[in-house]
Amino acid sequence: MSRILTFNIFRYNPQDPGTPPRMDRFMLDETDRMTLFIALNRIREEQDPSLMFDFCCRAGICGACGMVINGRPGLACHTKTKDLPEEITLMPLPAFKLVGDLSVDTGTWFREMYQKVESWVHTSKEFDPAALEERMDNSLAEEIYELERCIECGCCVAACGTALMRPDFLGAVGLNRIARFILDPRDERTDAQYFEIVGNDQGIFGCMGLLGCEDVCPKGLPLQDQLGLLRRKMAFTALKGIVGKHKHKHA
Amino acid sequence: MQTIYSDLLCIGAGLAGERVGIEAAAAGFDTVCLSLVPARRSHSSAAQGGMQAALGNCAMGEGDCPDVHFADTVKGSDWGCDQEVARLFVDTAPIVMRELAAWGVPWNRVVPGESKYFKGGKEFTKVEKKENEGLITARAFGGTAKWRTCYTSDGTGHTVLYTMDNRAAQLGMVVHDRVEAISLIHDGVRCMGAVVRCLKTGELRAYLAKATLIASGGFGRIYRESTNAVINDGGGQIIALNTGVVPLGNMEAVQFHPTGIVPTDILVTEGCRGDGGTLLDVNEHRFMPEYEPEKAELASRDVVSRWMTVHMQKGFGVKSPYGDHLWLDIRHLGIDHIRTKLREVDEICKSFLGIDPAYQLIPVRPTQHYSMGGVRTDKDGAAYGLTGLFSAGESACWDMHGFNRLGGNSLAETVVAGSIVGRKVVEYLKGCEAVFNSRVVDDAVARQAGRIKALRERTNGSENVYAVREAMFDAIMKGAGIFRNEKDLTECVETLQAIHERAGRVGLASNGLGANPELALALKIQGMVRLALCVAYGALMRTESRGSHTREDFPERNDRDWLNRTLATWPEGASLPELSYEPASKVFEIPPGDRGYGGGKIISA
């Protein structure tokens, strides 16, 4: 293990108008089991302390470190340099507002998504602290968890043809969120109410089926299946014209 | 400059901060949460195991109740906890878990019938009752008499945080992410809010509030090797300590976990050893039975961490560019077991180390994991020293963990304390009229603007902030790691005092414009060194061994002289914290006794 790695990194600080956007080049000796988390921190500490990038948990759990690594969106923390060529090009995720260098503002984008899909359990029931919890089948809890594993890293949005063309597209992450609530019997919304949110070009009918989302999802979520199911369900809801009368769920 | 008013200001939007905020928002109070990162990236999301609550639904939890949970918690704390707080916690935890279920957490549920489980690498059978089908189930954790830890697969913190943030969105609670509180605003009596730096633009803002809550998590990142997220650098504790009047409690109580991976210090679960994994040294020799003939790798966390350190000090560590480590061997558990029962470990090894644990050894070493100490509060979550200031979660010393916290009790604390402290904050807000003195606010902002200017212009010097941090890492690991003694701690304190001065001479190498990361670190480096000094000096003065605090020169737990809690304040201009002590608990439901494990000696009160 004695490669010298070359990093080409996008640089731009919007708060420093004197300096134009550019690519900077850094050289680093590769060490055993090196990840981009280790490499970028070394570049910042040893070569350029102004370099902006985001890490938080650095364990593939929090979704902070999405960036475009040699042309492909992914999590930097679990990208090992030994899996990359000697020349590594790093760019910020597109579709999100740039904070600076490799750092983007995902928070604003996702908060808008929560409001659009109303990302919470809609229920008319009041919580009763004296009562036992409502029962749920364990296999259903596990199904919900599979969709809840999304870490909102933004890679699927960055890899989405529609999201890059129309900023109001919910993206696979937003559609997956709806699929999660459709599964959940605690959410009392009807198919008609879900249709209101996703039965349009900002939602499921905006998807061109390129499935870049599924290719890049670092958690391996079944996004292709969810998009397909949702499209079929919503098309069906639209056709039936009986929207709002029934809610189909498996409890 | 922008000034933002609210009823409640939560510094931190992880589980504790959001849970308190939700209580206030639901009661109609205007609530703003601040977060270094988008709320859902908070470190709460990384907790995998689960939350302890005595629901007693599963077969192995049968007969469980808050009293049993209470006894486990007090023993775990080595009698260092506040027993009134531990009682409040265990009684409230089951209700909070059910509330989370109602809000949308997909808890794993009881599946009736016969199933298998592993203990010490051996297989056993249990039978779940039909009548409990579909209720919240639980798994086993260390130091507990019953299976009590509620969970959602291996992502409990993640699902609970997502549910909590959904609830926050539903209530319209405001979360400002990518901001950092760099100072509290106070007049020595009352807290009025915080001076905050925007981490998108670099601008300063004043957030004024009737009540301010610190819920910023632990301070593990004052150690070089920590399982904590990189944001857990003690920002909340620093701004409390810098008031000069708010004490931090039990800062010397720091938990180390035996199996952080090398490099990157990500945790691999205790389940590896629970299922029969072993620890090997540089010669691939299994060494733990020599130190602990009976329990070997399955001794408690603090005990295993201690022996691993001893063995590496003897020269049996494996050398690497990232320092010495040992090996965790789970190969003999078999590929099926690893791919299914230890799926998370399998993924971590492949993703972060590029190794397959079914065929290769996992590099591990003891790693800083949890801060029992923090902003000292009363049982209502109100901080000592300033009215209008509260704290909850890992950032607080509430204090249900004493000198050692049990697995599953910390994640539960975030939401249970959040619920209890939230109600107390609402009571406080109901009777509260605030007057904000503009002079105090302006002075506080001007002081921070002055610090930033001095750092950018290198007025106080041009010490490199990363070099100062490295020096702090070296000093604290050497003196205030797992094993402590008077000689090393004295040297550590002296070294840290010199580093504290160097930290005052830091100047930026870059221009400091916008969201500049060097400036963010430079603004808190001196505070981080102060936290390190609170840990080291507190550890030097505490001449006993209790829980995670292990003194080689004072191996006994000394209930005669040390059944108390350390309180550390930092007077203006000081080079050491001022220490005082208060009784560990006002009430002793369970008088000090033997923990039943660990085998330490006790000097009775």
Side-chain angles (χ1 to χ4, degrees), chain B residues 264-379:
Chain B
T264 66
D265 310 306
I266 298 165
L267 191 73
V268 292
T269 175
E270 217 153 276
C272 293
R273 284 170 292 131
D275 293 355
T278 55
L279 291 165
L280 308 181
D281 65 15
V282 66
N283 302 318
E284 301 195 13
H285 166 69
R286 187 181 171 206
F287 60 91
M288 274 306 294
E290 288 155 28
Y291 298 106
E292 290 283 329
E294 269 186 39
K295 292 213 155 183
E297 285 86 357
L298 288 176
S300 60
R301 267 183 199 179
D302 48 342
V303 173
V304 177
S305 292
R306 276 171 217 154
W307 290 130
M308 289 170 76
T309 309
V310 166
H311 204 62
M312 286 193 286
Q313 281 167 351
K314 286 183 185 166
F316 292 109
V318 183
K319 304 275 177 226
S320 87
Y322 310 98
D324 286 7
H325 62 77
L326 294 160
W327 300 114
L328 174 64
D329 185 7
I330 59 172
R331 295 172 300 183
H332 53 285
L333 301 184
I335 191 161
D336 290 343
H337 186 85
I338 291 167
R339 300 281 192 262
T340 55
K341 298 287 196 292
L342 296 170
R343 168 179 153 189
E344 159 213 335
V345 175
D346 194 37
E347 279 178 19
I348 287 171
C349 288
K350 287 175 181 154
S351 299
F352 295 92
L353 297 170
I355 62 163
D356 184 341
Y359 304 104
Q360 288 164 290
L361 299 171
I362 309 168
V364 295
R365 73 179 152 215
T367 306
Q368 192 283 343
H369 184 53
Y370 189 78
S371 320
M372 273 75 77
V375 179
R376 176 63 184 145
T377 70
D378 64 15
K379 64 181 177 185

Side-chain angles (χ1 to χ4, degrees), chain B residues 119-396:
Chain B
K119 194 178 172 187
K122 284 192 199 137
E123 208 175 71
F124 295 86
T125 303
K126 62 182 173 66
V127 181
E128 298 291 347
K129 284 183 178 162
K130 178 74 185 160
E131 72 232 44
N132 287 346
E133 180 172 11
L135 296 177
I136 299 169
T137 191
R139 58 164 51 135
F141 252 64
T144 64
K146 303 280 180 186
W147 287 24
R148 186 188 296 131
T149 305
C150 310
Y151 64 98
T152 59
S153 184
D154 55 2
T156 312
H158 171 87
T159 60
V160 178
L161 184 61
Y162 271 49
T163 299
M164 196 67 77
D165 198 48
N166 283 341
R167 181 82 180 157
Q170 181 184 6
L171 292 169
M173 194 171 86
V174 176
V175 180
H176 289 178
D177 69 35
R178 285 178 177 273
V179 293
E180 176 156 36
I182 57 173
S183 165
L184 290 176
I185 302 171
H186 69 98
D187 57 9
V189 178
R190 211 166 55 83
C191 182
M192 301 170 208
V195 181
V196 173
R197 176 171 174 253
C198 175
L199 299 180
K200 291 176 193 165
T201 63
E203 66 166 355
L204 288 186
R205 296 181 205 145
Y207 284 77
L208 303 182
K210 292 177 179 172
T212 302
L213 173 88
I214 295 176
S216 52
F219 54 88
R221 286 280 160 179
I222 65 169
Y223 287 85
R224 182 186 287 117
E225 287 89 31
S226 171
T227 63
N228 287 190
V230 299
I231 55 171
N232 298 122
D233 50 16
Q237 289 88 350
I238 290 169
I239 59 176
L241 188 66
N242 283 345
T243 62
V245 292
V246 176
L248 304 181
N250 278 349
M251 291 294 282
E252 63 270 33
V254 177
Q255 186 174 75
F256 288 79
H257 196 288
T259 54
I261 62 168
V262 182
T264 66
D265 310 306
I266 298 165
L267 191 73
V268 292
T269 175
E270 217 153 276
C272 293
R273 284 170 292 131
D275 293 355
T278 55
L279 291 165
L280 308 181
D281 65 15
V282 66
N283 302 318
E284 301 195 13
H285 166 69
R286 187 181 171 206
F287 60 91
M288 274 306 294
E290 288 155 28
Y291 298 106
E292 290 283 329
E294 269 186 39
K295 292 213 155 183
E297 285 86 357
L298 288 176
S300 60
R301 267 183 199 179
D302 48 342
V303 173
V304 177
S305 292
R306 276 171 217 154
W307 290 130
M308 289 170 76
T309 309
V310 166
H311 204 62
M312 286 193 286
Q313 281 167 351
K314 286 183 185 166
F316 292 109
V318 183
K319 304 275 177 226
S320 87
Y322 310 98
D324 286 7
H325 62 77
L326 294 160
W327 300 114
L328 174 64
D329 185 7
I330 59 172
R331 295 172 300 183
H332 53 285
L333 301 184
I335 191 161
D336 290 343
H337 186 85
I338 291 167
R339 300 281 192 262
T340 55
K341 298 287 196 292
L342 296 170
R343 168 179 153 189
E344 159 213 335
V345 175
D346 194 37
E347 279 178 19
I348 287 171
C349 288
K350 287 175 181 154
S351 299
F352 295 92
L353 297 170
I355 62 163
D356 184 341
Y359 304 104
Q360 288 164 290
L361 299 171
I362 309 168
V364 295
R365 73 179 152 215
T367 306
Q368 192 283 343
H369 184 53
Y370 189 78
S371 320
M372 273 75 77
V375 179
R376 176 63 184 145
T377 70
D378 64 15
K379 64 181 177 185
D380 297 341
Y384 288 14
L386 285 178
T387 56
L389 181 65
F390 295 81
S391 185
E394 191 177 349
S395 61

Side-chain angles (χ1 to χ4, degrees), chain A residues 1-246:
Chain A
M1 282 291 237
S2 55
R3 293 197 301 177
I4 300 295
L5 303 175
T6 302
F7 290 85
N8 299 303
I9 299 180
F10 175 81
R11 303 301 304 275
Y12 180 55
N13 182 352
Q15 304 300 319
D16 183 5
T19 315
R22 65 193 187 278
M23 296 298 288
D24 272 357
R25 172 175 285 235
F26 302 94
M27 315 286 268
L28 211 57
D29 58 300
E30 188 173 31
T31 48
D32 200 18
R33 299 192 289 263
M34 185 184 246
T35 63
L36 288 183
F37 169 72
I38 295 170
L40 282 167
N41 275 292
R42 270 190 59 197
I43 293 172
R44 181 191 277 172
E45 289 170 29
E46 296 167 14
Q47 302 185 37
D48 187 340
S50 70
L51 181 63
M52 288 180 266
F53 51 77
D54 294 320
F55 286 98
C56 182
C57 76
R58 56 80 178 91
I61 298 167
C62 81
C65 62
M67 59 182 69
V68 180
I69 304 157
N70 282 347
R72 192 180 170 90
L75 294 184
C77 71
H78 75 184
T79 301
K80 298 173 287 292
T81 54
K82 74 169 187 180
D83 297 335
L84 298 172
E86 276 171 33
E87 185 117 354
I88 298 165
T89 300
L90 302 176
M91 304 286 281
L93 287 184
F96 300 98
K97 189 179 171 189
L98 184 75
V99 172
D101 302 340
L102 300 174
S103 174
V104 294
D105 177 8
T106 53
T108 305
W109 194 98
F110 280 101
R111 272 199 307 279
E112 279 173 20
M113 185 274 279
Y114 312 151
Q115 295 304 331
K116 276 192 264 186
V117 308
E118 300 188 4
S119 169
W120 53 83
V121 164
H122 290 54
T123 178
S124 52
K125 291 178 191 146
E126 284 281 321
F127 172 67
D128 176 2
L132 272 187
E133 63 271 25
E134 269 188 45
R135 290 170 197 258
M136 180 183 274
D137 197 73
N138 190 57
S139 57
L140 176 59
E142 285 176 347
E143 270 184 74
I144 295 170
Y145 176 67
E146 276 308 299
L147 304 190
E148 185 104 320
R149 287 175 63 244
C150 168
I151 56 172
E152 298 188 357
C153 60
C155 288
C156 65
V157 179
C160 173
T162 307
L164 295 182
M165 289 188 296
R166 53 181 313 159
D168 59 354
F169 184 55
L170 281 174
V173 60
L175 295 166
N176 176 68
R177 183 62 46 84
I178 281 290
R180 178 244 177 272
F181 284 107
I182 289 177
L183 262 184
D184 193 330
R186 291 169 293 198
D187 192 323
E188 293 167 353
R189 278 180 282 185
T190 60
D191 284 350
Q193 286 169 304
Y194 292 129
F195 186 83
E196 277 294 305
I197 299 167
V198 297
N200 48 43
D201 286 351
Q202 292 83 46
I204 193 65
F205 301 122
C207 170
M208 299 187 289
L210 301 176
L211 297 173
C213 52
E214 167 120 357
D215 290 347
V216 300
C217 177
K219 301 308 279 187
L221 291 177
L223 296 173
Q224 175 176 356
D225 292 350
Q226 296 313 311
L227 294 171
L229 285 169
L230 210 53
R231 182 186 291 258
R232 220 175 313 143
K233 188 173 180 68
M234 289 303 134
F236 203 55
T237 304
L239 284 174
K240 276 203 307 195
I242 51 163
V243 292
K245 289 182 187 154
H246 299 287

